[in-house]
């Protein structure tokens, strides 16, 4: 097993039998590399399988049909379908690269948004409604993604509690900072490569994630994800039924770089002929839009200017667009 990214069983945290032990392992991974693989998360195989088959069926639809569930023109946030090579992850870091060889479908909160908090005009675009394909076109898609989103919500809430303990804070320190999160959940399809990519074009260009943490599923097709550490790219292990978790920029800023938001990318398959489609599913946990992210270590001099979760995400998402 790859030593760079550790596999950690979080069950002893969830059942209370070994919270400190899990927190200690997670602290080590987050300080060293900012990536870990988690098992014992409690998400059922049935929930994962329904998601994977719903996404496969959706992406197999004709592009014209998929485009019917794209964001309305001029939308400031990601919702619904975005087409192949329409975004460039590496542009979020300021790099100039060709667009990523993938198409995507993104949803945000599926929980009720009745509370006035979600209706504040200043935050309207963060809480834009999801855009769904008609059930007749993509049977079971909406329900499979909704069920999975709620499971990711649960796992992310637990992970933030593990993170709090790992940072020596009270277990519930982050609770009121993420209880009205506006996390994007994106399903990706990386089609087989039928033609040579442009120079420098990848399935997913090198970038760091933007929010607090990301929970990624892709096994058995996650092969291709690499992290940059110790001066080289390393493969992230593919572990059946496990999730890959990485911290994003906001957690690095919260911890004043004690934890690292590590550069990662998705490489192209080695042979054009033998290449296969790849699917992955990323839950980008994003703290409440109005939470100010600032150094939580009272002894350290802050390295970053405080930024709200909403402003930070909006800046990064705007940078990723290929046109404009
Ligand atoms: O598809 C993957 O394995 C990872 C994609 C990724 O890192 C991202 O979209 O932020
Ligand atoms: Fe990423």
């Amino acid at each position: 097993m790859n030593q760079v990214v550790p596999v950690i069983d979080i069950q002893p945290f969830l059942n209370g039998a070994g919270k400190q032990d899990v927190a200690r392992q997670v602290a080590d991974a987050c300080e060293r590399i900012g990536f870990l693989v988690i098992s014992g998360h409690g998400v059922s195989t049935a929930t994962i399988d329904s998601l994977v088959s719903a996404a496969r069926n959706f992406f197999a639809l004709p592009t014209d049909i998929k485009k019917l569930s794209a964001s309305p023109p001029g939308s400031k946030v990601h919702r619904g379908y975005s087409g192949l090579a329409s975004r460039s992850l590496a542009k979020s870091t300021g790099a100039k690269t060709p667009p990523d060889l993938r198409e995507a479908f993104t949803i945000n909160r599926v929980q009720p948004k009745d509370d006035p908090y979600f209706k504040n005009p200043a935050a309207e675009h963060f809480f834009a409604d999801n855009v769904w394909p008609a059930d007749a076109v993509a049977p079971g898609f909406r329900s499979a993604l909704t069920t999975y989103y709620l499971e990711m919500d649960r796992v992310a809430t637990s992970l933030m509690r593990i993170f709090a303990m790992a940072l020596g804070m009270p277990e519930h320190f982050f609770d009121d900072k993420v209880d009205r999160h506006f996390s994007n959940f994106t399903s990706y399809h990386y089609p087989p490569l039928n033609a040579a990519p442009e120079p420098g074009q990848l399935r997913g260009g090198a970038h760091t994630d933007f929010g607090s943490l990301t929970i990624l599923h892709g096994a058995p097709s996650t092969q291709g994800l690499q992290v940059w550490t110790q001066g080289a790219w390393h493969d992230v292990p593919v572990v059946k039924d496990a999730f890959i978790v990485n911290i994003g920029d906001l957690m690095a800023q919260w911890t004043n770089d004690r934890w690292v938001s590590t550069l990662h990318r998705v490489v192209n398959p080695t042979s054009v002929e033998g290449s296969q489609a790849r699917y992955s599913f990323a839950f980008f946990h994003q703290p409440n839009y109005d939470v100010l992210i600032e150094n939580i270590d009272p002894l350290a001099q802050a390295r970053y200017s405080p930024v709200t979760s909403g402003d930070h995400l909006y800046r990064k998402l705007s940078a990723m667009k290929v046109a404009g």
Side-chain angles (χ1 to χ4, degrees):
M1 177 58 62
N2 185 318
Q3 293 297 307
V4 175
V5 178
V7 182
I8 300 174
D9 177 8
I10 65 165
Q11 188 57 33
F13 183 92
L14 300 182
N15 66 21
K19 288 189 171 185
Q20 284 295 354
D21 187 44
V22 172
R24 194 186 41 70
Q25 294 177 61
V26 169
D28 178 61
C30 290
E31 278 173 30
R32 240 177 355 91
I33 174 123
F35 265 79
L36 49 144
V37 173
I38 57 163
S39 61
H41 44 68
V43 181
S44 75
T45 312
T47 296
I48 296 173
D49 289 351
S50 302
L51 168 75
V52 175
S53 67
R56 277 177 180 273
N57 292 340
F58 174 78
F59 286 120
L61 292 168
T63 305
D64 287 357
I65 304 287
K66 289 185 278 194
K67 280 190 174 158
L68 295 174
S69 50
S71 282
S75 168
K76 292 181 172 171
V77 288
H78 292 182
R79 296 289 185 274
Y81 177 69
S82 62
L84 187 62
S86 63
R87 301 231 153 67
S88 169
L89 272 167
K91 284 182 87 178
S92 64
T93 67
K96 260 190 170 334
T97 57
D100 302 319
L101 294 165
R102 63 181 188 175
E103 55 181 342
F105 188 94
T106 299
I107 61 170
N108 203 283
R109 289 184 74 85
V110 297
Q111 300 88 333
K113 292 183 286 193
D114 303 330
D115 190 291
Y117 178 88
F118 299 109
K119 301 193 187 319
N120 178 352
E124 215 170 22
H125 54 286
F126 295 128
F127 301 119
D129 287 339
N130 289 321
V131 182
W132 294 102
D135 208 49
V137 172
F141 184 75
R142 181 173 182 161
S143 76
L145 271 65
T146 300
T147 303
Y148 189 87
Y149 189 98
L150 293 171
E151 280 294 81
M152 289 298 103
D153 187 2
R154 179 183 66 73
V155 176
T157 302
S158 299
L159 283 168
M160 290 303 285
R161 293 183 182 150
I162 296 175
F163 282 6
M165 284 180 73
L167 289 163
M169 314 291 280
E171 179 180 338
H172 296 282
F173 175 77
F174 289 117
D175 282 14
D176 66 351
K177 300 165 184 67
V178 301
D179 56 354
R180 291 176 289 185
H181 68 87
F182 65 115
S183 305
N184 277 333
F185 168 57
T186 305
S187 303
Y188 295 111
H189 171 225
Y190 301 79
L193 281 186
N194 296 321
E198 289 176 43
Q201 188 172 36
L202 292 180
R203 279 185 153 172
H207 67 284
T208 57
D209 285 354
F210 314 146
S212 30
L213 62 90
T214 303
I215 307 173
L216 184 79
H217 175 72
S221 69
T222 340
Q223 213 98 43
L225 180 62
Q226 296 186 329
V227 292
W228 177 258
T229 187
Q230 299 158 9
W233 288 107
H234 297 260
D235 292 330
V236 176
V238 175
V239 180
K240 192 175 172 316
D241 297 333
F243 295 123
I244 296 160
V245 172
N246 63 285
I247 69 155
D249 300 341
L250 291 186
M251 192 53 70
Q253 296 191 24
W254 247 335
T255 64
N256 215 27
D257 286 340
R258 177 165 153 199
W259 286 7
V260 281
S261 176
T262 294
L263 206 59
H264 54 285
R265 66 180 187 178
V266 183
V267 292
N268 300 330
T270 41
S271 120
V272 171
E273 275 88 43
S275 73
Q276 302 213 327
R278 178 179 189 275
Y279 296 87
S280 70
F281 304 90
F283 182 81
F284 299 104
H285 190 240
Q286 186 73 30
N288 301 358
Y289 80 90
D290 51 353
V291 164
L292 198 61
I293 311 294
E294 48 190 346
N295 170 28
I296 53 173
D297 180 351
L299 298 178
Q301 165 129 27
R303 293 184 174 192
Y304 298 95
S305 314
V307 63
T308 62
S309 166
D311 285 349
H312 183 261
L313 181 71
Y314 181 52
R315 247 180 261 154
K316 287 286 193 172
L317 290 183
S318 310
M320 271 172 66
K321 289 196 179 132
V322 170

